[in-house]
Each structure stands twice: as structure tokens, then as C-alpha cells.
Amino acid sequence: MENLRTDVVVVGLGAFGSAALWRLAARGINVIGIERQAIAHPFGSSHGSTRLFRVACMEHPGLTPIARKSLALWTELGERTGETYVRQTGSLNVGGPNSRPVKGARQAAAEAGAPTTDLTHDELHERFPQYELDPGDVAVWDPGAGICYAEPTVRAHVAEAEHLGATVYPNTMVTAIDLGPNEVTVRTPTVDIIADQVVVATGAWLSKLVPGVPLSPRRTPLFWFQPKDPASNAFRLGNFPSFIWEFGDGRGLWGHGSDEDFLVKVGLDGAERDRGVDPDELDRYIHPRKDITELSHAISRAFPDLDPEPVKLMPCMVTDSPDGQFLVGRYDERLVIAGGDSGHGFKHCAGIGELLAQLTTKETPYTDVSFVNPLRF
Ligand SMILES: Cc1cc2nc3c(=O)[nH]c(=O)nc-3n(C[C@H](O)[C@H](O)[C@H](O)COP(=O)(O)OP(=O)(O)OC[C@H]3O[C@@H](n4cnc5c(N)ncnc54)[C@H](O)[C@@H]3O)c2cc1C
């Protein structure tokens, strides 16, 4: 067995790990990234074309600085690569005045200084007639929000890290991590890597490499739809920006329109099924009755001009933490982890990559990370 030595190993190069690799390489640190699959593969949580980007994050006001850091880093990277990683077309948080999207966005606005605008029911209806609103529905407009691009971003993080000197091993599975007093050994079938620190960001597989981490992967397919009238512009991104909408029963829809391929992405929130899955045994088939009926029904009710039959779908996974918040931080003297994306991590991944680099090198983090401390449970 060959042995290698480096400063830091990053295990798992999805959204979080690829960003950590980039931000560590940007500091001139000797870093090796290991990914079990190809880069930007469809078997984890970071595939498909887009994700919602929000600044007034309903999940926690502490996320606003992390989203802003992602935006700043991606803007800087885009200036170098000529690519766009975020499109800021704004987004709507819709629901009753006490719904989670509306209350949460207002709280982020108040506590984190994210600029937002309240829309009354009538203003919302006038500006966005695609929505079949309930009488009490209002909205909070988040102007800095929009969409971010998933697979191209993961590829760009890894390419930039390699450009800055990182070594990348795709298609290589880490089989064990042995933490010692003076070093950590990261084992693969072909090579053992000895390092000062390891960052583990293996998504739905995190608790397989770091036992005891309280995470629960959930099967969550991605769906795309088309307008009933193919000539309609009502669901182009500019007219149908990203949204999160909570209904009176606590369920809800999220999604966004599109300019590039005319596919409208919509997903259903609040499903109780398919929790606690084994990511190695994920059911990758789509079952029309189980997967589509409820979503199609919600779409027919909410957006009558959208054809409720999906035109494209893909299996995917969310990894839930007990409080719906990420686990990002130091877990051991030689181990930093990032996971528990809870379905809202992509927009934060570059900002989390920067935090992972800061925590690994024991710099002071650019923002408060106590709410994502992995030892909080
Ligand atoms: C349907 C859906 C919609 C979503 N919508 C949004 C949204 O609108 N906005 C948003 O911000 N977020 C959204 N998310 C969440 C976002 O996609 C995730 O937060 C993010 O992709 C999580 O990235 P990750 O790095 O934790 O996991 P992953 O991308 O899965 O990365 C983990 C990597 O580790 C690798 N790995 C695992 N085990 C090993 C091993 N032993 N050795 C080596 N490598 C290993 C895996 O192959 C994988 O590549 C959504 C998620 C889903 C499923």
C-alpha cells in the first residue's frame, strides 16, 4: 500500500467539499480532495442544473452572511472563469402572515439586515398572476435572491482548486478515517494518506464515516414542468422568479421558472415519507403514484397554467439534521465536518467552504458559526 503525506484531506467533493477544497487551495495549503464518484455526478445531493439562492433566509438569520459570502466568492470566481454561478432575479416568500417563509424572511431582514419588501395580497396577485392564492396569502420579496447553478459550480470549485495546486482523486472511495494524536490517516483501497487535518463532507454518507453524527438522509426527487401553453412567457425566470410558498396545512411548493430550457422546476415540501434511507440503497426509480400524484395535485391547485405532468425528473437526496440546520465545524482535534444540508445548503456552499477552510486552519471565522456547531446535539 502506497502512503502519501499532505496538510489537509477533503473527503467528498459535492457542494460543501468542493468548496472547502477550493478555499483551502486558495490559502496555499497542500490539500488532497477525494471523491467516491466522478466530479459533479448524479448519485448524491448536488446534481441537476439549479438550486434556489436566497439572502433573507427563513431557516436562520445567521445564514444571511453565509449566502452573501457565497455570492462574493462566486462573483470573484466568475470574473476569472467568465461563468455565471448566481442569477439574482429576486424571490418570493409566500404564505399567510405567520407562515414560515413570510415570518422567517422578515426575521432575517430584521436581524441580519437583508433588504426585503412586503407585498400585500393584492400587490402579489397583480405582479404574479400565475399564483392561485389563498385569501390570506401575502409575500416577502427578497431582491438579492435568485437561482444558482449546481453541477457547473461543483465543477468550477474543483477546477479552481486544481488550478491553485490541489490534488484530486475522483472515483476513489475513502474506506476509513483513523484519527491519531499527531496525525490523521485517510484510507482508500489503493493509497493511505497521512495528514494534519481532514475535512469530511460526504453528504448523505457523513454518518458512515463519522459515526454518531445525528443525520437522516431523505429521498427527494427533482421535478420539472412546462406551461400548458408552450408559447406563454408567464413561467420564464424573469416573470416567475424563485419562490417558497407555504399553504395553510403546512405543506408547500418551491421552485422557479427558466429561460434556458423552458423547464419550470417545482418541488413539494413537507413529505414525511422516505426518511431515514440508506444512501447506498436509495430507490432511484420514480413511482408515478407515490412520487407524482401529490405534487401534480398541488401544482394544479396553485398554478393552473402549469401542466401538472412532469416532463423531467431525477432522484436526489436531502440529509436532515434534528433541527433542520447544518452541521459545520470541528468534531475532533484533527477532524472538521460539514453536512446535514436539510435541503437548503447549496446556496451557502461557497460560504461554508470558506468557513471550513478557516476552521481547519484555526483562523477566526468570518461569521458566527455557533448555530451550526456539530456538537450542539
Ligand atoms: C430536491 C432538492 C432540492 C434542493 N433545493 C435546494 C435549493 O433550492 N437551494 C439550496 O440552497 N439547496 C437546495 N438543496 C440542497 C442542496 O442541494 C444540498 O444542500 C447540497 O447539494 C449538499 O451538498 P453536500 O456536499 O452536503 O452533499 P453531496 O453533494 O452529496 O456531496 C457528498 C459527496 O461525498 C461523496 N462521498 C460519500 N462517501 C464518500 C466516501 N466514502 N469517499 C469519498 N467520497 C464520498 C459523495 O459521492 C458525494 O459526491 C436541494 C436538495 C435537493 C435534494
Side-chain angles (χ1 to χ4, degrees):
M1 172 77 67
E2 192 191 348
N3 269 1
L4 288 179
R5 194 154 214 324
T6 191
D7 296 338
V8 182
V9 179
V10 179
V11 184
L13 301 181
F16 292 166
S18 65
L21 187 78
W22 166 35
R23 299 318 301 156
L24 284 159
R27 287 167 165 74
I29 288 164
N30 289 321
V31 57
I32 293 178
I34 307 181
E35 167 54 52
R36 176 183 178 173
Q37 309 281 352
I39 302 305
H41 63 87
F43 305 111
S45 301
S46 300
H47 52 284
S49 45
T50 56
R51 294 289 186 274
L52 271 61
F53 180 84
R54 288 174 283 119
V55 180
C57 299
M58 66 177 184
E59 296 85 359
H60 197 285
L63 293 167
T64 294
I66 304 179
R68 284 187 173 140
K69 180 60 85 176
S70 288
L71 181 62
L73 289 168
W74 284 333
T75 303
E76 196 186 303
L77 183 60
E79 279 162 11
R80 227 188 63 68
T81 62
E83 287 185 37
T84 300
Y85 303 108
V86 184
R87 275 187 71 190
Q88 288 176 283
T89 49
S91 99
L92 286 169
N93 284 37
V94 184
N98 287 320
S99 64
R100 193 166 167 249
V102 169
K103 259 172 80 173
R106 284 187 182 145
Q107 192 185 352
E111 291 181 28
T116 56
T117 310
D118 285 349
L119 297 182
T120 63
H121 181 89
D122 291 348
E123 288 166 339
L124 179 59
H125 176 67
E126 196 176 318
R127 275 180 65 180
F128 300 99
Q130 305 91 328
Y131 288 69
E132 190 69 34
L133 298 168
D134 282 337
D137 283 337
V138 295
V140 178
W141 175 248
D142 176 356
I147 58 170
C148 48
Y149 295 94
E151 289 174 28
T153 301
V154 170
R155 271 190 216 103
H157 288 166
V158 174
E160 185 66 3
E162 287 185 292
H163 170 76
L164 293 165
T167 303
V168 175
Y169 291 102
N171 303 305
T172 304
M173 179 158 171
V174 169
T175 51
I177 295 172
D178 294 336
L179 297 165
N182 303 314
E183 59 195 22
V184 50
T185 306
V186 177
R187 301 198 188 277
T188 78
T190 50
V191 64
D192 283 350
I193 305 172
I194 297 162
D196 297 329
Q197 298 276 329
V198 62
V199 177
V200 183
T202 47
W205 292 265
L206 188 60
S207 47
K208 294 206 175 202
L209 280 179
V210 184
V213 175
L215 295 178
S216 176
R218 176 165 41 109
R219 180 176 167 278
T220 317
L222 297 154
F223 293 92
W224 289 264
F225 298 82
Q226 277 185 327
K228 285 180 180 163
D229 173 4
S232 163
N233 286 329
F235 292 95
R236 284 178 170 269
L237 182 60
N239 297 329
F240 192 62
S242 65
F243 69 91
I244 295 191
W245 182 2
E246 188 178 281
F247 305 140
D249 63 3
R251 304 294 306 272
L253 293 172
W254 48 264
H256 65 81
S258 169
D259 294 335
E260 286 106 10
D261 49 15
F262 302 101
L263 294 182
V264 181
K265 189 174 177 184
V266 185
L268 189 65
D269 251 346
E272 279 310 316
R273 60 167 186 266
D274 291 334
R275 291 178 185 264
V277 300
D278 179 342
D280 288 318
E281 305 289 334
L282 185 72
D283 175 2
R284 294 193 175 273
Y285 289 97
I286 299 291
H287 307 276
R289 189 186 295 248
K290 176 176 119 173
D291 290 327
I292 300 171
T293 309
E294 212 180 349
L295 174 58
S296 291
H297 179 76
I299 287 180
S300 300
R301 211 196 63 153
F303 302 114
D305 294 334
L306 210 52
D307 182 343
E309 279 299 308
V311 288
K312 186 175 146 188
L313 28 86
M314 263 184 198
C316 198
M317 274 178 292
V318 154
T319 303
D320 292 315
S321 76
D323 63 0
Q325 212 37 267
F326 315 139
L327 276 71
V328 175
R330 185 161 288 284
Y331 207 67
D332 179 276
E333 185 48 33
R334 306 210 164 264
L335 168 65
V336 171
I337 66 170
D341 73 273
S342 303
H344 59 106
F346 201 94
K347 68 183 78 58
H348 302 293
C349 69
I352 286 175
E354 178 69 5
L355 285 171
L356 292 169
Q358 290 180 322
L359 293 163
T360 305
T361 55
K362 303 192 175 162
E363 293 168 32
T364 305
Y366 65 84
T367 191
D368 173 37
V369 285
S370 54
F371 71 107
V372 291
N373 183 343
L375 301 172
R376 69 187 179 278
F377 300 109

